Amino acid sequence: MRFITPFLFAAPVAFAAMTFPAAAAEIATGAKMPAGFAAKDAAGKPRTLASVAGKKGTILVLFRSAKWCPYCQAQLKELKAAQAELGARGYNIVGLSYDAPETLAAFASKTGISYPLLSDEKSAMIDALGLRDPAYAAGSFAAGVPKSSALIIDKSGVVRWKSVATDYKVRPQNGAIIAAVDALK
């Protein structure tokens, strides 16, 4: 029986290690964005953070899925209303999810979204930011989705503000994002 008891305790730990990737620490306000930020736009073209940034920086919105998440779909459509105001302040809105470029292209076309939606299909950037939602194990259709998050990243790549939801139904309102941008002046 001595050999069975350690096995019973070790097996669940080993299984958890196999089903959930090691989580990076969640990016902190004041931290520099991970080097090598890369994702594909809705046309499948590789993009860097610099290639999508505004004059002063980027509002990076991490969302679960434009295909199956109604809260994400609503948020992405709502952000269109803040696009001009944030653009006038020097910031471009950019969405990032694990969705394939074709999914993002179809959603942008259907909804008239003109800001970039980026695909991180393998969740490499989501993981580098430490924002993968740990609720979904490997093999789940939602494995790799990020926590619903918004980051304000300045032109030098420093995170100046962030909002990370513990409930995927809760998203920062446009007014809160604009107020955070205004507070950076």
Side-chain angles (χ1 to χ4, degrees):
M1 288 304 267
R2 286 184 186 171
F3 297 106
I4 295 173
T5 303
F7 175 76
L8 292 175
F9 289 110
V13 172
F15 177 72
M18 292 183 336
T19 57
F20 293 99
E26 185 178 297
I27 192 157
T29 302
K32 188 102 167 146
M33 286 290 286
F37 180 97
K40 291 182 180 174
D41 65 18
K45 178 183 173 188
R47 302 300 293 262
T48 64
L49 194 57
S51 73
V52 293
K55 197 166 74 174
K56 290 187 178 180
T58 307
I59 310 298
L60 182 63
V61 177
L62 288 85
F63 62 97
R64 296 155 57 86
S65 177
K67 183 176 184 176
W68 54 262
C69 176
Y71 301 98
C72 301
Q73 295 165 353
Q75 177 187 30
L76 295 170
K77 289 186 255 183
E78 181 71 24
L79 283 167
K80 291 189 314 182
Q83 188 175 357
E85 201 168 340
L86 289 166
R89 288 167 167 77
Y91 290 86
N92 285 348
I93 299 171
V94 177
L96 178 74
S97 82
Y98 82 149
D99 287 328
E102 310 78 57
T103 299
L104 298 174
F107 183 76
S109 175
K110 176 181 164 187
T111 59
I113 289 175
S114 60
Y115 58 85
L117 297 177
L118 301 181
S119 172
D120 184 18
E121 284 185 282
K122 297 192 186 307
S123 302
M125 291 314 309
I126 294 165
D127 288 341
L129 294 169
L131 293 172
R132 182 187 285 242
D133 189 334
Y136 304 98
S140 164
F141 78 96
V145 299
K147 297 175 188 172
S148 302
S149 311
L151 309 173
I152 297 176
I153 305 160
D154 69 18
K155 195 67 172 162
S156 64
V158 174
V159 176
R160 301 289 308 276
W161 176 88
K162 74 175 185 174
S163 171
V164 179
T166 55
D167 179 349
Y168 68 87
K169 297 175 187 172
V170 177
R171 312 297 168 101
Q173 298 296 307
N174 289 348
I177 294 170
I178 292 167
V181 165
D182 288 345
L184 297 177
K185 292 182 182 179

